[in-house]
Amino acid sequence: MWYLTAEEEAHAAEALSSGGFFAEWAGVMLVLPFVAFLLIVFFGKRMRRHGAEFAIGALAVNLVWSSVLFFQNAVEGIHREVSWVVGEIGVFGGDRLVFELGWVVDGLSIMMFWLVSFVGLLVFVYAVGYMHGDVRVTAFFAAFSLFAGAMLVLVGAPNLVQLIIGWEGVGLASYLLIGHYWEDLDNVRAANKAFLVNKVADVGLILGAVVLGFTLGTFRFSELSVAAFDHSPELAGVAVAAGLLLFFGAMGKSAQFPLHIWLPDAMAGPTPVSALMHAATMVTAGVYLMGRAFPLFEYLASDTRGLMVAIGAITLFAAGLLALVQDDIKKVLAYSTVSQLGYMMTAVAAGGYTAGLFHLFTHAFFKALLFLGAGAVIHAVHSNNMSDMGGLRHYMPRTHWTFVVGSLSLAGIFPLAGFWSKDEILATLGYEGYTTVMWIGIAGAFVTAFYMARAVALTFWGSYKGHGHPHEAPAVMTVPLIGLAIPSIFAGFLNVPGVELGPIRNFTAWLGARVVPMGDHHAESVDWALAAVGLAAALTGLVLGWLVFSPDADTQRARDRFRIPVLYPLLEAKYFLDHIAWAIVNATKGPLARLVDWTNSYVIDGVVNAAGFLSAALARFVYGGLDQRGIDLAYNGLSQMADAAGMAARRLQTGRVQQYAAGFVVGALVLVLMIAVFR
Amino acid sequence: MILPQFLILAAALFSLGVYGLLVRRNAVMVLLAVELMLAAVNINLVAFEAALRTSQAVGQVFAIFVITVAAAEVGIGLAIVLMIFRNRQSANVDEFDLMKW
Amino acid sequence: MSFSDWISQPVNWVFLGLALAVLAAGFRVVTSQNVVHAALFLVATLAGVAGLFVLLSAEFVAWVLVLVYIGAVVVLFLFGIMITRAPTGQDVGLDNRRARPVAAVVSLGLFGVLSWTSVRAFQDTAVAGVGERTPTDILGEALLGRFVFPFEVVGFVLLAALIGGITLARRDLTPKEEEERGAV
């Protein structure tokens, strides 16, 4: 076993505890999902719930374990690192470069452990209901366990090599899950697309790891952080290059423009997959990597910030606009995720370590909630399209209310969780001097509120336009919804600037438990003026979205209601005044109605429609012109090149075993001769 | 007796096996050629044992293992050939080229 | 050691005779156009190899070879030949003629490299002769002592091969046959 040296321990921020038993053996959490995976593979089919028991059991233990760590860290701050050497290579200059596996337990990883376990557990429970009667439940839960396990390996990684192992594991599991319904060729294509786009970005991550490893002589994050904190000269030489490479890697997993294209397609998987992928695992990996390597960016590679912030800002705004024109409810949420990832990336890139990761934390709750709610709706309606929905608040009240809570939290309405985390990002951007980007963020808040209002109006309000009779989801699905709605409301209070919650302090202090101080700015108090601007943008978006989309969903029903409660009872009750009443009503209702109608259709609708059409046109241009034609074209070109190379190379595969055998013998001979000649 | 004389013999037998492996069309004949190669390997193992004289006759023990595994290999190999023959009415390896693009 | 020194040892005459027999029979195994003849030449080859094992003081292995190979494996081959209805008479289609030159070059090259390396590596290393035979009890102790685990593994492999062979070679009944059998 291999600990930090005494010198490095002393370097660690002043009074961090080593955490005791639970931190020492935190690796149990990394292993359990894989144990569950094996158990599911071997025994899953014989179990009553097709192996879901194992997956849920593993994550339940993980949740308890990480909760203990969570509170230990909240009270005293923990840093513990355990590594085993598993191999080593010689590098130029005679040094040895060791490869290690192990786990790091500090503020950042504890937060992620807990988040993955908590959201994962709820999603797993939900999936028991959602996947009931599916063709391959056992395979699904096996891949799901693998997914959670790979993410835990990733976030618990004390070094870049293990992080890459977990990173690829997450990619593999997501490939399996996106392609879960592989009978449909489109789903297979979506899985391939996700895998390949991620691979493009992974090249950046691997090159970055190689650069850092060969420069420092170690892959450990703790030593990287210490070197960055000390402004080590040899690290400073490669910091910008390594930082950009790591960021490029993060762009793929965290779906930053223009590498976001895989994410909407990844909706092909079952909805619980989308929920987990968008909330706690996979897409957060990039932001997590940026947080893990934050000292590098904070102390040495600050030159990279402009580019990273720009990419994050483009992502958050462009993706938000895309969400406006989608009919598929999961795609609305998918583009929303891209947009929110843009917020997180912008914040971390601008130097807001706590702000970005706090948004990751709150976003995990309400985005998982929204996806699970959408899943419940899809489960009931058997369609992904909002044009087949409407009026579902009558049929699915619990889903409706939790979905509204999630939407309000995502839109950033006071005092829900999303308000606080988004406000902190805006405040950080303002403080770090990215004023333009801050205004883009505020505009993004408006767009966010607008499309969420649209989604809620088209799905839950108006009249039902689908077939059959939708019904509320079973308790196994609604309980996780409620379990996620609670933190979606209250999680924001964990990090109100300047407020400490007694002995458990606040989120800033929890995340600050790292080997070196993070050095990001923490506001002393809430900037109420900025918060008000952000809130106003969100509220405007909500109201406008409501005005544009809620009548559209239910024109017919609204007219009926208008006639029945006002006009018809009037005639019925005042029978003896019918002529007068008729006269008055007849005299006034026409012109009045016309006046109201005229005002409505030309003045109010004009304003509203203009706003709506402008956004929609812009969004269509971004989606159709830039995204579909420009960026997709480049990717298609690359894949066609790979395709052509494959076509050429496949001629070698004749299928004749004996030709392979001849090649094998000749190859062995050549090897022997080479050894004899060059020895 | 010196070691190279056995090794050269084994090399010749092995090369004959390789030749048979590459030219034979009938799958049973290919398996026969593989048996030749295994016999060559056994000669090597026993000859090395005779040269080194290990205390526990390791070379001969492994020759026995090779013989055992070869017996298992023939059993399975012939069962596979039988299966293919039943499905394709042919045991010619150059007609089994499904493992390709 | 010069060739005349080598040839002056009588045991090497025996070796030479056996080696020529093994090679000739082996050559016929891979060139014979009659499948039954090829299998019978394999018997001759393996008998020669068993003789070489006796020469190398490995009597037990020699007997195992005779019993297991010649007794069982070759019989299995003959069964395989008969069941697959491989042409049993003269047959020009047994070889892939176009592959012959390539195969000849490859195997000659392999022979050259292998024999060159072994001569270079071992020069005049002497081997134990007929008189110093390995007692079988040593082999037994080694098999059930130091190598008991591989021994068990090999046993398991044989069992797996047995079951696998049965599963593969069993003919699945057609639905109609199954129905008939069920009716009885």
Side-chain angles (χ1 to χ4, degrees), chain B residues 1-5 7 9 15-16 23-25 32 35 48 50 53 56 60 68 70 78 82-83 85-86, chain C residues 6 9 12 29-30 32 52 69 83-84 93-96 107 111 123 125 127-128 132 134 146 168-169:
Chain B
M1 292 191 293
I2 56 172
L3 187 49
Q5 73 193 58
L7 298 186
L9 171 64
S15 305
L16 280 175
V23 295
R24 290 302 204 181
R25 293 177 63 216
L32 278 181
E35 295 307 317
F48 280 125
R53 304 300 286 173
Q56 287 181 307
Q60 295 187 18
T68 323
L78 283 176
L82 199 58
M83 191 76 191
F85 179 77
R86 222 178 256 150
Chain C
W6 184 80
Q9 294 175 346
N12 286 335
V29 170
V30 295
S32 167
L52 285 168
Y69 257 97
I83 291 174
T84 57
L94 213 51
D95 278 8
N96 186 352
S107 52
F111 173 66
Q123 310 281 358
T125 313
V127 295
E132 308 165 50
T134 314
R146 183 177 170 192
L168 279 174

Side-chain angles (χ1 to χ4, degrees), chain A residues 650-658 660-662 665, chain B residues 18 21-24 30 93-94 96-97 99-101:
Chain A
R650 79 180 196 183
R651 307 259 167 237
L652 289 174
Q653 300 278 30
T654 55
R656 299 283 178 87
V657 191
Q658 285 165 318
Y660 299 165
V665 174
Chain B
V18 169
L21 181 74
L22 297 184
V23 295
R24 290 302 204 181
V30 172
V93 261
D94 54 357
F96 315 146
D97 52 1
M99 283 200 310
K100 66 172 179 190
W101 43 283

Side-chain angles (χ1 to χ4, degrees), chain A residues 330-637:
Chain A
K330 283 177 79 178
K331 290 209 170 171
V332 174
L333 295 178
Y335 280 116
S336 157
T337 302
V338 178
S339 170
Q340 300 303 312
L341 287 167
Y343 273 106
M344 300 173 206
M345 203 54 109
T346 311
V348 177
Y353 166 73
T354 311
L357 287 160
F358 187 51
H359 195 56
L360 187 160
F361 185 72
T362 58
H363 175 258
F365 299 123
F366 51 72
K367 188 48 66 67
L369 170 61
L370 288 172
F371 264 110
L372 294 188
V377 169
I378 292 167
H379 201 64
V381 183
H382 303 296
S383 165
N384 282 7
N385 294 330
M386 293 193 289
S387 50
D388 294 333
M389 300 173 183
L392 293 175
R393 72 182 191 281
H394 301 300
Y395 305 100
M396 321 178 69
R398 282 191 291 274
T399 309
H400 169 230
W401 282 116
T402 48
F403 197 90
V404 167
V405 166
S407 305
L408 292 180
S409 194
L410 172 60
I413 302 301
F414 181 84
L416 301 181
F419 167 77
W420 298 104
S421 55
K422 199 172 283 180
D423 180 54
E424 191 160 337
I425 289 179
L426 297 180
T428 300
L429 289 172
Y431 174 83
E432 299 282 351
Y434 296 100
T435 320
T436 322
V437 179
M438 184 184 83
W439 284 106
I440 293 177
I442 291 170
F446 166 79
V447 175
T448 307
F450 193 78
Y451 64 66
M452 283 323 291
R454 171 177 178 267
V456 171
L458 293 186
T459 308
F460 289 102
W461 292 71
S463 55
Y464 184 54
K465 295 180 282 293
H467 306 286
H469 295 283
H471 51 86
E472 178 63 286
V476 70
M477 288 163 74
T478 52
V479 168
L481 291 178
I482 295 163
L484 285 165
I486 293 165
S488 299
I489 299 172
F490 296 109
F493 297 114
L494 295 175
N495 203 26
V496 180
V499 176
E500 290 214 353
L501 304 170
I504 62 167
R505 304 182 293 169
N506 58 20
F507 194 84
T508 308
W510 304 346
L511 271 196
R514 294 281 301 272
V515 68
V516 294
M518 286 298 108
D520 60 330
H521 168 72
H522 306 299
E524 291 298 315
S525 61
V526 184
D527 182 354
W528 288 110
L530 181 59
V533 174
L535 187 59
L539 283 174
T540 318
L542 271 187
V543 172
L544 273 180
W546 194 261
L547 286 175
V548 172
F549 291 105
S550 83
D552 171 37
D554 197 12
T555 321
Q556 188 61 45
R557 184 81 63 88
R559 268 185 214 146
D560 289 351
R561 217 173 21 241
F562 180 69
R563 196 187 58 180
I564 292 167
V566 179
L567 219 51
Y568 192 62
L570 191 73
L571 294 174
E572 184 78 15
K574 317 245 175 177
Y575 187 70
F576 49 92
L577 291 173
D578 56 346
H579 291 285
I580 307 164
W582 262 119
I584 295 170
V585 169
N586 273 335
T588 54
K589 85 168 184 195
L592 194 63
R594 272 194 288 277
L595 179 71
V596 172
D597 183 52
W598 187 88
T599 321
N600 189 37
S601 37
Y602 290 96
V603 180
I604 299 176
D605 277 14
V607 173
V608 168
N609 284 343
F613 283 132
L614 269 178
S615 325
L618 185 54
R620 256 182 223 113
F621 168 71
V622 173
Y623 180 75
L626 291 182
D627 195 57
Q628 296 291 312
R629 297 225 183 88
I631 298 166
D632 279 14
L633 191 70
Y635 282 100
N636 289 341

